[in-house]
Amino acid sequence: VSELLFAGFLNGKGIELVPCKTIPMEVPANAEIVIEGWVDTNELIWEGPFGDHTGFFSLADKYPLFEVSAITHRRDPIYLTTIVGLPPQEDYYLGKATERVFLPLLKTLIPDIIDYHLPMFGAFHNFVFVKIAKHYPMHARKVMSSIWGAGQMMFSKFIVVVDEDVDVHDEQDVMFHIGANVDPRRDMMIVDGPLDILDHASPYYGSGSKVGIDATRKIEGEGIVRDFPDLLTMTP
């Protein structure tokens, strides 16, 4: 999603733009500070390590050099920044707000999703808890594959899918249903694909394996399935 389109969505109207001084681009008219320039993809320099939102120092690597051609700013500009580190830091709460704002968009791409939760310990991309209304065999696996194909959700390393009566924002409830409903051999799917470049556990830079866990109640057509008991509840 275009950053300007997203900003307009949050703003309730289009973002007013003005031309840059030295490059043929436009920037928000109310920007505090504008750094203009270009990136030379042929000139790579070592960068890092930096303390990151993962809670670790991200590994040093080579990145393209940015050549600055102009810096402009408002009168008495405010420099905005966030503090990152071992969760929770400021970026976690920004990420949580983004999770809520993007839910309608994710549901547009994947209508099967009722709700989702990015737990704090997952540092945005390590864990995703997803709630669905299950309608057919392997429905949870279809949703996992759809999430791995949805923009930056492709970086999700562990996806857990639960039934619609589970509170995805209650991590104890999710873990209870993983323990109760999952047979590891039958209900876990391991795939290979792109991962966040900050994932130091991946065997390759930016790629490795991901796990989908189907913690829904199993039905006929999903392998060897015994009868699933009813949840123990008390009458009013």
Side-chain angles (χ1 to χ4, degrees):
V1 178
S2 160
E3 288 92 342
L4 287 173
L5 182 64
F6 186 52
F9 168 70
L10 294 176
N11 195 46
K13 60 181 180 179
I15 303 299
E16 182 183 357
L17 302 176
V18 294
C20 288
K21 300 292 186 182
T22 59
I23 58 176
M25 291 181 63
E26 292 185 317
V27 293
N30 64 348
E32 298 285 343
I33 302 170
V34 177
I35 304 176
E36 302 176 19
W38 63 95
V39 174
D40 185 353
T41 57
N42 296 316
E43 187 173 359
L44 302 179
I45 61 171
W46 282 100
E47 183 178 86
F50 295 122
D52 227 310
H53 73 271
T54 58
F56 296 90
F57 283 96
S58 55
L59 301 175
D61 208 336
K62 286 190 173 182
Y63 291 92
L65 183 68
F66 180 75
E67 297 280 357
V68 177
S69 57
I71 299 178
T72 58
H73 58 80
R74 302 177 70 176
R75 186 179 297 111
D76 299 323
I78 299 173
Y79 173 71
L80 301 173
T81 190
T82 57
I83 303 300
V84 300
L86 195 65
Q89 296 287 352
E90 292 173 332
D91 58 329
Y92 165 71
Y93 299 99
L94 291 170
K96 193 62 181 177
T98 303
E99 171 203 291
R100 295 293 88 198
V101 170
F102 268 102
L103 177 59
L105 177 60
L106 189 61
K107 292 173 69 171
T108 300
L109 295 173
I110 313 171
D112 317 67
I113 292 176
I114 297 175
D115 199 0
Y116 78 123
H117 171 52
L118 304 176
M120 180 180 69
F121 56 75
F124 305 122
H125 57 263
N126 284 338
F127 282 89
V128 182
F129 296 163
V130 183
K131 177 195 295 194
I132 68 169
K134 185 172 177 176
H135 293 300
Y136 49 83
M138 302 295 177
H139 194 170
R141 296 188 181 227
K142 179 265 185 188
V143 172
M144 296 171 196
S145 298
S146 298
I147 292 173
W148 282 321
Q152 292 203 20
M153 293 298 288
M154 68 180 175
F155 297 133
S156 305
K157 188 156 65 168
F158 293 91
I159 299 177
V160 179
V161 181
V162 294
D163 289 306
E164 57 187 319
D165 60 341
V166 179
D167 182 0
V168 287
H169 301 284
D170 182 345
E171 293 157 10
Q172 288 293 323
D173 197 19
V174 173
M175 296 305 294
F176 170 78
H177 284 86
I178 292 175
N181 291 351
V182 171
D183 174 77
R185 190 184 307 279
R186 180 192 60 198
D187 301 328
M188 295 178 66
M189 176 172 64
I190 299 179
V191 301
D192 295 312
L195 290 171
D196 194 300
I197 59 172
L198 299 179
D199 187 343
H200 59 270
S202 62
Y204 304 102
Y205 180 75
S207 66
S209 61
K210 296 175 271 193
V211 175
I213 302 174
D214 179 359
T216 62
R217 294 170 59 89
K218 302 306 172 301
I219 59 177
E220 185 178 354
E222 296 185 312
I224 300 175
V225 179
R226 298 162 62 201
D227 290 338
F228 264 57
D230 294 329
L231 192 66
L232 194 158
T233 58
M234 299 295 289
T235 65

